[in-house]
Amino acid sequence: MSMTDPVADLLTRIRNGQTAGKTSVTMASSKLKASILKVLKDEGYIAGYNVEEAAGKPQLTVDLKYFDGRPVIDRLERVSRPGLRIYKPAKDIPQVMNGLGVAIVSTSRGVMTDRKARQTGVGGEVLCIVA
């Protein structure tokens, strides 16, 4: 059976892994998932990630990050979904918690944070919110 929303699956696996206190979670890999994880790593929300071959298919392993025994990510929400895509121009991209959180945006110049998208003046699809 095919998956209808792989990005929501990625976010749910991270959320569930942190709730269960896991050190890492594994899932099927894609370029979009890897670019979202790159943004999360650059912003300091995850410890790291790597792509490995398992049974001839690429697998993503995400190393989760904790501080004082609590997950670093408090809120991880999908904004745009297959049934309702949310596109915003650069000036209308939402600010998460007055700049304390991050909105991840898929633009024509790649996947980036809301701050970087506003800085470069490109809009796009708001994928998710992380705080």
Side-chain angles (χ1 to χ4, degrees), residues 10-25:
L10 164 75
L11 301 178
T12 301
R13 285 177 190 251
I14 291 173
R15 215 179 301 116
N16 289 345
Q18 286 188 326
T19 302
K22 302 280 186 185
T23 57
S24 65
V25 291

Side-chain angles (χ1 to χ4, degrees), residues 34-48:
S35 56
I36 290 171
L37 290 174
K38 182 182 182 323
V39 171
L40 289 175
K41 183 178 181 336
D42 292 344
E43 292 294 314
Y45 287 109
I46 60 173

Side-chain angles (χ1 to χ4, degrees), residues 50-103:
N50 52 345
V51 181
E52 305 160 344
E53 287 287 325
K57 295 184 180 179
Q59 292 279 321
L60 272 172
T61 303
V62 182
D63 301 321
L64 303 176
K65 191 173 183 180
Y66 298 91
F67 181 75
D68 287 339
R70 294 190 59 230
V72 172
I73 300 173
D74 282 335
R75 188 172 131 202
L76 189 60
E77 294 177 13
R78 179 84 158 114
V79 176
S80 184
R81 51 193 173 86
L84 180 64
R85 301 286 187 191
I86 306 294
Y87 297 97
K88 298 284 183 181
K91 61 180 173 56
D92 293 337
I93 294 173
Q95 245 193 345
V96 181
M97 294 175 57
N98 288 328
L100 294 176
V102 172

